[in-house]
Amino acid sequence: VPIVLVLGSDDHERLWHGSKRLIERNSKIQHKVIAGGNHTFQTRHPFAGPTPELEHAIRKTLEFLFSLQ
């Protein structure tokens, strides 16, 4: 099963640790880092619109999905 992990560079350390463990176990996992992004890619609740970090994460996700075709 193809997998991509998209994390922000400023994401929680526990998420980075978990991602690294997954990648160590499966070298086929793609890993994308969004510079300046946190766990919500700098968005807020209630959602007031996308941020540049969220848009970048969406682009990386779409690139991955379209590469599967």
Side-chain angles (χ1 to χ4, degrees), residues 37-48:
N38 59 11
H39 188 62
T40 61
F41 301 105
Q42 306 300 0
T43 60
R44 304 271 187 256
H45 178 75
F47 186 68

Side-chain angles (χ1 to χ4, degrees), residues 1 3 6-7 11 13 15 21-23 26 31 35 43 45 52 54 56 59-63:
V1 175
I3 299 170
V6 182
L7 286 111
D11 217 332
E13 181 60 33
L15 295 174
R21 289 181 64 198
L22 289 170
I23 293 166
N26 183 347
H31 186 231
T43 60
H45 178 75
L54 178 60
H56 191 186
R59 275 195 310 277
K60 290 297 178 186
T61 302
L62 289 173
E63 287 173 9

